[in-house]
């Protein structure tokens, strides 16, 4: 049986779409917690801001007018763009006023940036190759920012020795997403997809290693915190 690169690439792309969809949906427990507590606590909005603009860039890259035959890139990133809109709305709703204004201004800036790039490329650049090169180069930066956005949380994990605010499934599916799209880019070589996703694989793996290192200490801290909460009413009773 002859190996067909296009069929293999499509199959890997479908797998990549499924994994990426799970990645986009993996923060649902986090946002359920935010909704339930009516507070974003120490959760950072930057992974979602980075993913928002990154998805927008990849939708632009994948449309036929820029990079033909990339429908799988458009489908998953268009879906991800919509999901990130919902997440960011929840952040705006439940964060404090000062941070809310900052997040809102970043979102507006990202939308203006996306629209500006689209207008520039589609009106002033004439060939698919040039359009793909320009948008693809920007996508590399956007994808690296998306994968690197948890670095601040990784620093918090190391200093606090707790993974409470670094969701496990987000880290896991970031890693798997990087692996699948790296494979996709290698079957029919696409440097614009390969470079950021290979870096994303490494960063996702680093997050998983941190999770493994500090999972037990997180459970211990949570148990100690719960014990203090339970001891509080008893102490009040004794004093009374």
């Amino acid at each position: 049986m002859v190996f067909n690169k296009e069929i293999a690439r499509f199959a890997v792309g479908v797998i990549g779409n499924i994994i990426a969809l799970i990645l986009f949906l993996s923060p649902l427990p986090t946002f359920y917690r935010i909704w339930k507590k009516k507070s974003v606590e120490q959760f950072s909005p930057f992974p979602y801001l980075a993913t928002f603009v990154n998805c927008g860039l990849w939708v632009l890259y994948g449309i036929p007018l820029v990079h033909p035959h990339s429908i799988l890139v458009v489908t998953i990133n268009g879906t991800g763009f919509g999901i990130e809109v919902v997440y960011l709305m929840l952040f705006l709703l439940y964060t404090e006023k000062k941070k809310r204004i900052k997040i809102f201004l970043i979102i507006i800036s990202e939308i203006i940036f996306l629209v500006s790039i689209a207008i520039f490329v589609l009106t002033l650049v004439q060939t698919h190759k040039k359009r793909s090169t320009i948008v693809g180069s920007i996508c590399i930066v956007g994808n690296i920012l998306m994968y690197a956005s948890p670095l601040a949380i990784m620093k918090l994990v190391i200093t606090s020795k707790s993974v409470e605010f670094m969701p496990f499934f987000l880290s896991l599916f970031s890693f798997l997403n990087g692996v699948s799209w790296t494979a996709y880019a290698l079957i029919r070589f696409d440097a614009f997809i390969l470079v950021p996703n290979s870096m994303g694989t490494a960063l996702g793996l680093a997050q998983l290693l941190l999770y493994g290192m500090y999972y037990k200490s997180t459970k211990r801290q949570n148990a100690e915190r719960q014990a203090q909460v339970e001891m509080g009413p008893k102490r009040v009773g004794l004093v009374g």
Side-chain angles (χ1 to χ4, degrees):
M1 185 175 179
V2 179
F3 177 75
N4 188 309
K5 281 190 174 182
E6 289 305 314
I7 293 175
R9 187 171 184 263
F10 183 82
V12 173
V14 170
I15 294 169
N17 267 240
I18 294 169
I19 293 174
L21 179 60
I22 297 171
L23 170 63
F24 291 138
L25 294 175
S26 62
L28 281 175
T30 297
F31 282 93
Y32 176 74
R33 172 173 169 169
I34 289 172
W35 172 77
K36 192 174 180 180
K37 293 193 173 185
K38 311 299 182 190
S39 170
V40 299
E41 301 178 278
Q42 293 187 60
F43 290 109
S44 172
F46 292 108
Y48 311 103
L49 289 165
T51 306
F52 173 76
V53 71
N54 182 64
C55 286
L57 286 168
W58 282 109
V59 168
L60 179 60
Y61 178 81
I63 63 174
L65 291 172
V66 176
H67 195 77
H69 314 299
S70 299
I71 187 64
L72 292 175
V73 175
V74 176
T75 53
I76 189 56
N77 284 287
T79 303
F81 189 85
I83 292 171
E84 297 307 315
V85 168
V86 176
Y87 291 159
L88 290 172
M89 287 176 65
L90 287 170
F91 251 100
L92 287 172
L93 187 62
Y94 293 121
T95 196
E96 59 188 57
K97 185 177 179 181
K98 189 176 180 180
K99 289 183 179 179
R100 183 182 298 122
I101 294 171
K102 182 180 179 181
I103 294 169
F104 180 75
L105 291 175
I106 293 173
I107 293 170
I108 295 300
S109 300
E110 289 181 342
I111 292 171
I112 292 171
F113 173 72
L114 289 171
V115 172
S116 300
I117 293 295
I119 292 172
F120 169 74
V121 169
L122 296 176
T123 58
L124 299 179
V125 183
Q126 301 305 318
T127 66
H128 287 146
K129 185 176 180 180
K130 288 180 180 179
R131 289 174 178 174
S132 296
T133 301
I134 292 169
V135 179
S137 299
I138 298 170
C139 282
I140 288 178
V141 178
N143 228 31
I144 291 172
L145 287 174
M146 183 189 78
Y147 281 123
S149 58
L151 285 174
I153 295 299
M154 290 168 71
K155 181 181 177 182
L156 177 65
V157 169
I158 294 169
T159 55
S160 66
K161 294 181 170 50
S162 170
V163 294
E164 183 178 2
F165 295 102
M166 187 175 75
F168 171 74
F169 288 107
L170 184 59
S171 300
L172 174 62
F173 286 102
S174 290
F175 171 70
L176 294 176
N177 186 64
V179 170
S180 62
W181 287 105
T182 296
Y184 178 86
L186 286 171
I187 293 172
R188 192 178 75 189
F189 189 76
D190 189 326
F192 299 121
I193 295 177
L194 176 63
V195 172
N197 283 289
S198 57
M199 293 184 68
T201 301
L203 285 167
L205 180 60
Q207 290 173 51
L208 291 175
L209 290 173
L210 280 178
Y211 204 93
M213 288 171 63
Y214 295 115
Y215 175 72
K216 287 185 178 180
S217 61
T218 303
K219 289 187 71 175
R220 186 169 59 251
Q221 288 179 30
N222 289 341
E224 290 171 356
R225 193 183 306 134
Q226 185 63 33
Q228 289 175 0
V229 171
E230 290 174 356
M231 285 294 291
K234 293 180 181 178
R235 288 175 181 171
V236 172
L238 288 171
V239 173

